[in-house]
Amino acid sequence: MNQFLSVSEGRHLGQKDTPVYHRRNTVLVAGGAGFLGARICERYIEKGYCVYCLDNLSTGRLSNISHLLDLPQFRFFRHDVVLPITLPGPVSLIYNMACPASPPRYQIDPIHTMLTCVTGAINLLDLAGQHKARILQASTSEVYGDPSVSPQCESYLGNVNTVGPRSCYDEGKRAAETLFHDYHLARGVDIRIARIFNTYGPGMDPLDGRVVSNFVTQALKGVPITIYGRGAQTRSFCYRDDLVEGLLALMHCKKDLAAPVNIGNPGEFTIAELATQVLALTGSRSPLCYRPLPQDDPQQRRPDISVAMRELGWRPKVKLADGLRQTISYFASELRRNAPQDAKVVV
Ligand code: NAD
Ligand code: UDP
């Protein structure tokens, strides 16, 4: 425990209402200060659980969890998953969300991204084994690389470059899936693997460089919308709350589900169509500008979610336009909060 820098620890000592962190009602969210991890923390607090949130704050932000920090049933530990992990008490559920998800962010230090995926997975799997906890891996549609089939179903083996700018993430996530599979077979660890497709929504970092963050902030500021390539490549965008409900359904499903499961929204849009929707919904007059397509940028992505629908009874509910409205309003308030007095935000 002493390797942790605990931000919230100690505030709870002596409080009458300090809850007991029983194994059965305690969850660990690694990467819990990130976009998706913070929402998972929130959902478990709502469900009456105690939550350990562990994060190195490399791409996550304390502002994502600031409303939870003072709760006695929430404890934050600043820690890197690459280092060995011990916890102050037992847990029954572990989410491994710890990894930068945005291409420009995970490419800043590719070796650390690979270490996060691989050593981080080993450390968390060992922890799951010690605590007899179920552990869910946040895997990704990137394991399919630049796919030659569409939609992508779980049995598709992928088309991934081992030596490109995206490889640290794609191959790291593939290796992590292998580690999960082998810990399950060789050591009986109770695993779940979610292959997450592009997700957006409130809580994203406006500066993370992902397409939704870029387009919405550019539209709100009235500056050019940066389309990489001709914008003909496709993505399928899932709203944050739909995605997190899918992860919870997978984690709590009583069936034996150790194999990977796609979680995403099958609605498929070109990047040019996304730009058009963002401009229409913000009422912005930002011009479009075209930039070179990054190397190995996948040309299409669309999940086949029949396994998730059949086994979990889950499907996404939020349409892109509705999710974008929520996201635009969140980004507008983030920009207002961070903008100098005289800065212009269009809506
Ligand atoms: P994010 O960058 O907002 O969150 C990741 C969190 O992990 C951050 O809080 C970051 O500080 C933390 N982190 C990174 N490296 C760490 C390390 N070595 N030790 C401890 N903490 C570390 O990203 P997100 O969108 O919330 O994604 C969460 C997870 O879901 C990631 O594993 C990502 O690969 C996966 N995923 C996300 C998407 C998506 O579209 N959002 C798609 C596919 C997969
Ligand atoms: N993209 C874009 N403009 C931007 C950011 C991204 O055209 O300002 C494109 C990017 O080339 C990719 C798609 O949008 O084709 C999704 O990019 P993102 O980084 O969000 O996620 P990816 O699915 O590539 O990991």
Side-chain angles (χ1 to χ4, degrees):
M1 211 356 246
N2 52 4
Q3 80 268 35
F4 290 121
L5 167 63
S6 169
V7 170
S8 60
E9 197 181 13
R11 266 180 217 164
H12 316 139
L13 295 178
Q15 285 188 359
K16 273 196 200 141
D17 58 350
T18 298
V20 180
Y21 282 60
H22 288 299
R23 176 182 175 279
R24 70 169 189 285
N25 73 347
T26 305
V27 54
L28 166 65
V29 185
F35 162 50
L36 296 177
R39 180 67 188 152
I40 296 172
C41 292
E42 257 175 21
R43 287 291 288 117
Y44 277 94
I45 293 291
E46 284 165 15
K47 282 157 79 68
Y49 277 68
C50 296
V51 175
Y52 295 132
C53 170
L54 184 151
D55 202 298
N56 69 356
L57 297 181
S58 56
T59 56
R61 298 176 296 161
L62 278 181
S63 59
N64 282 339
I65 50 167
S66 54
H67 56 301
L68 304 176
L69 283 173
D70 280 331
L71 299 176
Q73 62 273 39
F74 184 82
R75 294 174 77 176
F76 174 72
F77 303 103
R78 186 168 187 175
H79 183 77
D80 196 305
V81 292
V82 165
L83 302 171
I85 303 163
T86 52
L87 291 176
V91 292
S92 57
L93 303 172
I94 299 175
Y95 284 83
N96 180 18
M97 309 304 292
C99 185
S102 156
R105 292 277 173 91
Y106 67 64
Q107 289 168 21
I108 290 173
D109 186 350
I111 296 172
H112 195 261
T113 298
M114 179 58 93
L115 283 171
T116 294
C117 289
V118 174
T119 312
I122 291 171
N123 287 334
L124 287 163
L125 282 160
D126 283 338
L127 195 71
Q130 285 158 25
H131 288 262
K132 301 207 181 327
R134 176 171 290 172
I135 179 167
L136 182 146
Q137 165 68 358
S139 190
T140 167
S141 54
E142 289 288 323
V143 301
Y144 302 123
D146 189 9
S148 53
V149 301
S150 192
Q152 294 85 53
C153 57
E154 290 85 349
S155 57
Y156 176 58
L157 298 183
N159 174 30
V160 182
N161 183 359
T162 58
V163 286
R166 300 175 80 99
S167 308
C168 58
Y169 182 79
D170 301 8
E171 293 293 353
K173 289 284 186 179
R174 286 172 69 94
E177 283 198 8
T178 308
L179 282 162
F180 268 66
H181 174 74
D182 289 338
Y183 266 72
H184 176 64
L185 287 188
R187 303 191 186 171
V189 174
D190 186 4
I191 64 153
R192 301 285 146 117
I193 299 173
R195 289 186 178 155
I196 302 170
F197 284 64
N198 296 64
T199 304
Y200 69 100
M204 293 184 94
D205 181 344
L207 300 175
D208 76 8
R210 289 187 258 191
V211 68
V212 173
S213 325
N214 278 5
F215 284 9
V216 174
T217 54
Q218 289 161 349
L220 292 174
K221 288 176 175 170
V223 302
I225 305 276
T226 53
I227 294 189
Y228 301 162
R230 300 306 304 165
Q233 69 273 35
T234 67
R235 293 293 185 273
S236 296
F237 298 100
C238 189
Y239 188 63
R240 175 200 66 177
D241 296 5
D242 275 343
L243 191 285
V244 167
E245 293 318 304
L247 296 185
L248 265 65
L250 178 58
M251 178 63 112
H252 291 274
C253 178
K254 294 201 183 345
K255 297 175 190 165
D256 182 18
L257 266 181
V261 178
N262 288 340
I263 308 281
N265 189 321
E268 186 179 12
F269 298 86
T270 66
I271 294 305
E273 285 168 342
L274 177 71
T276 306
Q277 284 222 30
V278 168
L279 286 174
L281 291 167
T282 53
S284 167
R285 290 158 65 178
S286 287
L288 302 181
C289 75
Y290 293 88
R291 298 272 161 78
L293 189 68
Q295 186 190 330
D296 295 337
D297 199 288
Q299 284 308 290
Q300 56 181 353
R301 222 184 259 146
R302 178 181 172 200
D304 178 327
I305 58 166
S306 33
V307 173
M309 290 195 301
R310 187 182 67 237
E311 300 297 333
L312 310 178
W314 171 87
R315 67 175 70 215
K317 298 190 181 103
V318 180
K319 291 195 173 66
L320 182 61
D322 296 333
L324 281 176
R325 275 190 202 94
Q326 301 291 329
T327 310
I328 289 164
S329 132
Y330 155 78
F331 275 124
S333 67
E334 282 289 290
L335 291 182
R336 277 194 295 271
R337 197 161 58 85
N338 295 321
Q341 293 291 342
D342 56 348
K344 190 173 144 210
V345 175
V346 174
V347 292

